[in-house]
Amino acid sequence: MLVANDHADQSHGQHLGSQMMAAIGNPEPRGKTVTAYERTDARWVTRMAAIAQDQDRKAFAELFRHFAPRVKAFLMKSGADESLAEECMQDVMATLWHKSHLYDPSRASVATWIFTIARNRKIDLLRRYARPEPEELPWGPEAAPDQADVIALQQDSTRLAEAIGKLPEKQRMLIQRAYFGDLTHSEIAAETGLPLGTIKSRIRLALERLRHSMS
Amino acid sequence: MTDIKHNLPDDILMGYATGVLPRAFDLVVASHVSLSDESRARLESLEAIGGAVLEDAGTADIADDSLQQTLAKIGGMDPIRRPVSASGVFPTPLQDTVGGDEDAVRWRSVGRGVKQCVLHSDEDGTARLLLIPAGRAMPAHSHHGTEMTLVLKGAFRDEDGVFARGDIEVADTEINHQPIAEPGEDCICLVATDAKLKFQGLLPRLAQPFVGI
């Protein structure tokens, strides 16, 4: 609710691209220092918008250079061999292009969104059937992605990454293995000790606002 | 859609986020998340860990012509449209599995007016739809392992309270429970189990091997 009040005066319906440009032009929201990580993520968000709106191949190439080698490494650490990982990675990046208009920067960082695409593709390939996925929301960021929400989520994502970096080595490895799909569901502990509460509340609020803007 | 009281615990959402749940449970989780903003927000926050892990996972060498090949793939793919929300009783992942909504289900009677339809079964678990007539009780049963019950229509009541559309109940090993459908409307649930249920009443127990519950 606090966040909602903070942003109540923000104009809605502004074009996603211009909002993202504004986010970059104003790198220090609410007087907080913006880290390199956040600035990088803000750049990825603008590249996503450029793909969604203008089918911008240069923006895609830039995302590809950063994420393709990471997606491939993720897939290989998840048990795919080199050639399967290469093919699967290309599928993931092609899906990113075609789904770019569904990306909502107030609910996920670009890295998180790509992780979900890679995970789904990996499961479908390994199990040879399409895993049931939650239905996509029938409306999305073109309704009203609030710039302040986008920046707040980037800050949360940064804090989360830093918190993972500060975990004891053993626990950090365990979390990595879990997300590589390397632990069984009975081995997974939900208690990560990571600061997920703020991210959860943020996403919850974004969902609420999206539903509200539709009704 | 906003007044769902019973949501999924984080360990199951994390199992879904990391992609290691049995297929029967994936179906129930995906259906529940489609109906619950609270669980969707929790799931997406757990997926944020996946984003951090991806950034931190290092890099692998990619093929020299990787970008060109991907651009070629893009040219050959149809654009993905924003899907319309499922109208009807079943959320999209369930409609995809059933091949339609409520009226497409091929129910089989299992006695006392209760009907079921097995949607998926393998060694890791079974997913089925259950229909309990309004006001009627399910046979009391306990079970090994985990049972997840998502209400799609009507409501049921048991020791833990009332469960209505979108609510999900997760019952663990050896819990005895006897859900009773609330009066007024038949109750349709999507249920996943990862072990054979054990019925406690004499007749239902005899019937169990034939019913397949």
Side-chain angles (χ1 to χ4, degrees):
Chain A
M1 280 310 114
L2 256 176
V3 180
N5 292 336
D6 270 359
H7 307 154
D9 58 342
Q10 291 281 337
S11 67
H12 289 259
Q14 224 180 320
H15 211 239
L16 178 59
S18 57
Q19 286 193 10
M20 293 306 112
M21 294 317 282
I24 287 203
N26 177 22
E28 297 196 3
R30 284 179 253 167
K32 279 186 184 166
T33 312
V34 171
T35 65
Y37 185 95
E38 278 158 24
R39 222 171 287 132
T40 307
D41 198 63
R43 192 170 83 219
W44 301 141
V45 170
T46 60
R47 299 306 179 266
M48 288 299 300
I51 296 169
Q53 285 155 28
D54 307 320
Q55 290 78 49
D56 186 333
R57 288 190 167 216
K58 254 180 77 182
F60 181 75
E62 213 178 307
L63 279 168
F64 192 93
R65 270 195 297 279
H66 180 77
F67 284 107
R70 285 171 171 77
V71 169
K72 188 169 175 181
F74 167 77
L75 292 166
M76 289 174 71
K77 288 181 178 173
S78 303
D81 66 25
E82 203 273 337
S83 68
L84 182 68
E86 173 73 32
E87 193 197 328
C88 184
M89 174 275 285
Q90 292 182 14
D91 290 346
V92 169
M93 297 310 288
T95 303
L96 173 145
W97 173 282
H98 283 304
K99 278 189 144 182
S100 54
H101 59 293
L102 298 179
Y103 170 62
D104 180 351
S106 66
R107 280 164 50 213
S109 72
V110 175
T112 295
W113 192 65
I114 293 176
F115 159 75
T116 62
I117 297 175
R119 174 204 60 196
N120 295 352
R121 185 70 192 144
K122 176 189 81 179
I123 293 173
D124 293 354
L125 278 178
L126 290 179
R127 301 193 190 171
R128 296 169 201 280
Y129 64 84
R131 179 172 90 137
E133 298 293 332
E135 63 189 36
E136 297 266 8
L137 301 177
W139 17 257
E142 60 265 37
D146 192 310
Q147 179 205 316
D149 287 353
V150 173
I151 291 168
L153 189 91
Q154 284 162 7
Q155 290 171 340
D156 290 342
S157 303
T158 306
R159 265 194 289 277
L160 179 60
E162 286 168 356
I164 292 174
K166 282 182 196 153
L167 287 175
E169 181 72 1
K170 202 176 156 194
Q171 204 188 341
R172 200 161 61 91
M173 288 300 143
L174 214 58
I175 284 177
Q176 288 195 346
R177 282 184 56 203
Y179 280 80
F180 294 146
D182 208 16
L183 300 180
T184 66
H185 58 101
S186 57
E187 290 171 321
I188 286 176
E191 272 310 315
T192 57
L194 292 169
L196 292 177
T198 48
I199 294 195
K200 195 228 92 185
S201 316
R202 191 96 58 199
I203 297 169
R204 184 79 170 86
L205 222 83
L207 289 169
E208 234 166 72
R209 201 167 301 155
L210 280 168
R211 288 204 188 276
H212 186 71
S213 73
M214 283 302 291
S215 58
Chain B
M1 194 156 303
T2 48
D3 53 358
I4 289 168
K5 291 182 185 69
H6 304 275
N7 286 288
L8 272 175
D10 282 348
D11 56 340
I12 289 174
L13 285 172
M14 191 144 170
Y16 187 83
T18 57
V20 295
L21 292 185
R23 184 173 182 172
F25 288 81
D26 280 340
L27 177 63
V28 184
V29 172
S31 298
H32 167 69
V33 168
S34 300
L35 298 173
S36 167
D37 281 355
E38 175 66 17
S39 287
R40 190 188 288 268
R42 281 186 183 280
L43 174 62
E44 290 181 358
S45 68
L46 289 166
E47 289 172 340
I49 302 177
V53 167
L54 176 71
E55 278 285 4
D56 206 24
T59 57
D61 289 337
I62 58 174
D64 292 341
D65 59 349
S66 205
L67 178 58
Q68 281 67 35
Q69 284 194 30
T70 305
L71 288 169
K73 274 189 184 183
I74 287 170
M77 276 168 75
D78 290 329
I80 297 163
R81 288 177 203 288
R82 180 178 296 282
V84 289
S85 193
S87 58
V89 175
F90 297 168
T92 305
L94 183 54
Q95 291 208 16
D96 289 348
T97 303
V98 170
D101 200 27
E102 191 188 354
D103 50 8
V105 179
R106 301 173 68 164
W107 295 107
R108 285 184 47 204
S109 175
V110 293
R112 301 179 182 189
V114 177
K115 295 178 194 168
Q116 74 158 348
C117 171
V118 175
L119 299 174
H120 174 78
S121 191
D122 63 31
E123 61 200 6
D124 295 324
T126 299
R128 61 167 55 80
L129 286 162
L130 269 184
L131 185 151
I132 312 167
R136 204 74 61 84
M138 274 286 292
H141 63 279
S142 66
H143 39 79
H144 304 297
T146 301
E147 179 186 67
M148 270 172 30
T149 306
L150 169 67
V151 179
L152 299 160
K153 187 179 179 182
F156 72 77
R157 179 191 294 272
D158 68 9
E159 300 84 357
D160 291 327
V162 175
F163 292 75
R165 177 171 168 80
D167 282 330
I168 195 160
E169 178 169 64
V170 181
D172 280 322
T173 312
E174 302 301 324
I175 285 179
N176 291 328
H177 81 312
Q178 183 166 30
I180 299 170
E182 290 282 89
E185 192 178 17
D186 292 352
C187 180
I188 297 180
C189 301
L190 175 63
V191 186
T193 45
D194 72 351
K196 295 274 180 194
L197 297 181
K198 293 187 303 174
F199 279 94
Q200 295 188 314
L202 180 61
L203 276 173
R205 189 192 291 155
L206 286 173
Q208 191 181 346
F210 306 103
V211 170
I213 286 189

